[in-house]
Amino acid sequence: MEPTTHEAAAAKPNHTGRPRKNDDFKLYEGDLYKVLLEKLPSKYIKFGRLDTDAIRIGTGNARFTVYRWLNEQKLSKNAIRALLKLSAESDEAKKKGKLKKADLIPFFDLGDDL
């Protein structure tokens, strides 16, 4: 006997699309996110959140890379340079509390080879 439409619908999972690879996605809860939200100029903030597309364009990286920085809480030397450059290019940064190297050093990724 074939299942009825109601039974077939009940057997389907509640989600659609590709499942997330990382269930520990903490983009908006991380310390790096909070530092960037507080210190970056307003052109990189949209509706009270970081504008990852504007950061992507400003740093010349892929949006996935920006998400990886925020989720993993790790930055490379080049990422730190790019973020400092974003902060330095605006006059608003002087008023808001410009992002400094000391703000980003705790997120510097030394790698696993130590």
Side-chain angles (χ1 to χ4, degrees), residues 2 28-29 45 48 50-51 53 71 88 106-107:
E2 292 184 33
Y28 305 112
E29 300 167 8
I45 298 169
L50 289 178
D51 185 354
D53 196 45
N71 192 42
F107 306 104

Side-chain angles (χ1 to χ4, degrees), residues 11-60:
K12 285 186 178 180
N14 292 333
H15 67 306
T16 59
R18 189 177 82 193
R20 286 199 297 196
K21 291 182 181 180
N22 187 353
D23 290 333
D24 297 328
F25 191 71
K26 298 176 179 137
L27 177 75
Y28 305 112
E29 300 167 8
D31 292 334
L32 177 60
Y33 185 89
K34 292 172 186 171
V35 167
L36 295 178
L37 187 62
E38 180 184 324
K39 303 266 182 161
L40 282 179
S42 63
K43 82 181 222 179
Y44 299 105
I45 298 169
K46 188 177 192 179
F47 303 115
R49 290 189 164 177
L50 289 178
D51 185 354
T52 54
D53 196 45
I55 293 171
R56 172 193 68 84
I57 293 167
T59 62

Side-chain angles (χ1 to χ4, degrees), residues 50-114:
L50 289 178
D51 185 354
T52 54
D53 196 45
I55 293 171
R56 172 193 68 84
I57 293 167
T59 62
N61 288 290
R63 187 179 256 181
F64 174 81
T65 303
V66 175
Y67 282 122
R68 190 182 69 234
W69 294 343
L70 296 171
N71 192 42
E72 294 179 3
Q73 302 288 301
K74 295 179 183 177
L75 296 172
S76 67
K77 187 170 36 172
N78 290 335
I80 290 174
R81 283 187 187 131
L83 290 170
L84 290 173
K85 185 178 175 187
L86 289 183
S87 181
E89 65 189 30
S90 172
D91 290 334
E92 178 189 341
K94 295 172 188 166
K95 299 175 198 167
K96 190 174 181 179
K98 182 176 154 184
L99 188 63
K100 295 179 177 69
K101 191 188 308 185
D103 298 325
L104 299 176
I105 291 298
F107 306 104
F108 181 60
D109 183 21
L110 296 173
D112 295 332
D113 54 329
L114 289 177

